[in-house]
Amino acid sequence: MKIVVGGGFGAGKTTFVGSVSEIMPLTTEAVMTEASVGIDNLDATPRKQTTTVAMDFGRVSLDKDLVLYLFGTPGQERFWFMWDDLVRGAIGAVVLTDTRRLADSFSPIDFFEDRGLPYVVGLNCFDGEQTHGIDEVRDALAIAETVPIVQCDARDRESVKNTLITMVEYSMERWVSAHGAGVS
Ligand SMILES: Nc1nc2c(ncn2[C@@H]2O[C@H](COP(=O)(O)OP(=O)(O)O)[C@@H](O)[C@H]2O)c(=O)[nH]1
Ligand SMILES: [Mg+2]
C-alpha cells in the first residue's frame, strides 16, 4: 500500500520516513545554499542543513501481508507540481504538523481534501512540548471531527508506526463506509 507523507517545510517528513523504513530510505537531500535564503524559512529549525529536493521513499512491513510504501512530499511550494503524481494510487496520507507553524499545514490538507484522499494529522513533537493541543489544532485548521489527529514523534519508530496504523485503519473505515463491507 502506498502512503503519502505531507506537511510543511521542516515539519519532519524526512525524519518520519527515515525512522521507520526497513530499507535505507531513498532521500534526495541537498545541502541548502545561500540561494535558499529568504525562500526556505529556517526560523523554527535553525539546525536544519539539508532539504528534500524531490522526495523521500521508504518501506515498512506492518505485518507479513501489509507492506507500506512511504512517499514523502517535498515541502517547498516550488515543487508542488509533483504532488499529483505522488498521490496517484495512494490509500491515504499523513500530514505532519509542527504546531509552532500551524499555517504550513493548510496547503497539504487542502490538497488531500480536494483529491478526496483520506488523511490523518500527526502533531510532530518538537522539543518535547506541544504548543497547541489536539482540539485547538482541529479548530484552527478546521479539520472535520472524523479525521484522526494524533501526537507523534517523527524520530521514534514506534510512534511513527502507530501513526501509520491509525492512517491505514482510517482509510479502511472510509473505504468500507463508501463501498460497503464484504466487497473484495
Ligand atoms: N526536536 C525534534 N526535532 C525534529 C523532530 N522531527 C524532525 N526534527 C528535526 O527537525 C528538522 C527538520 O526535519 P526534516 O525531517 O528534515 O523535515 P522535512 O523538511 O519535513 O523533511 C531536522 O533538523 C530534524 O532533525 C522531532 O520530532 N523533534
Ligand atoms: Mg525533507
Side-chain angles (χ1 to χ4, degrees), residues 8-15 45 48 52 124-127 153-155:
F9 178 71
K13 300 175 295 293
T14 299
T15 309
T45 49
K48 190 170 163 65
T52 309
N124 197 13
C125 189
F126 283 88
D127 302 322
D153 185 328
R155 299 161 302 175

Side-chain angles (χ1 to χ4, degrees), residues 21-79:
S21 184
E22 297 146 352
I23 52 172
M24 179 78 87
L26 171 71
T27 112
T28 42
E29 294 292 284
V31 175
M32 287 190 280
T33 65
E34 284 175 10
S36 74
V37 172
I39 297 173
D40 296 328
N41 186 343
L42 292 177
D43 290 351
T45 49
R47 287 183 299 277
K48 190 170 163 65
Q49 290 175 341
T50 62
T51 189
T52 309
V53 284
M55 62 174 192
D56 305 297
F57 174 72
R59 186 191 70 199
V60 54
S61 314
L62 288 186
D63 76 44
K64 69 177 180 9
D65 297 322
L66 183 55
V67 180
L68 304 183
Y69 291 90
L70 306 178
F71 290 76
T73 59
Q76 305 95 318
E77 295 184 18
R78 60 187 179 278
F79 292 115

Side-chain angles (χ1 to χ4, degrees), residues 69 88 111 115 142 153 161 171:
Y69 291 90
R88 197 166 300 136
F111 181 86
R115 300 304 189 281
D153 185 328
K161 254 190 164 174
S171 170

Side-chain angles (χ1 to χ4, degrees), residues 81-162:
F81 69 91
M82 290 179 63
W83 284 46
D84 274 316
D85 285 335
L86 273 177
V87 299
R88 197 166 300 136
I91 62 151
V94 174
V95 177
L96 276 181
T97 299
D98 176 348
T99 56
R100 299 167 302 178
R101 295 177 291 157
L102 275 182
D104 290 359
S105 302
F106 279 122
S107 311
I109 286 174
D110 279 351
F111 181 86
F112 296 134
E113 281 189 351
D114 182 60
R115 300 304 189 281
L117 190 68
Y119 66 92
V120 302
V121 176
L123 305 184
N124 197 13
C125 189
F126 283 88
D127 302 322
E129 58 178 83
Q130 288 293 349
T131 339
H132 303 286
I134 288 179
D135 292 340
E136 278 178 291
V137 172
R138 194 182 293 284
D139 275 356
L141 297 176
I143 296 170
E145 278 299 321
T146 47
V147 173
I149 303 181
V150 296
Q151 310 271 7
C152 84
D153 185 328
R155 299 161 302 175
D156 180 75
R157 182 177 160 83
E158 283 309 306
S159 174
V160 171
K161 254 190 164 174
N162 287 334

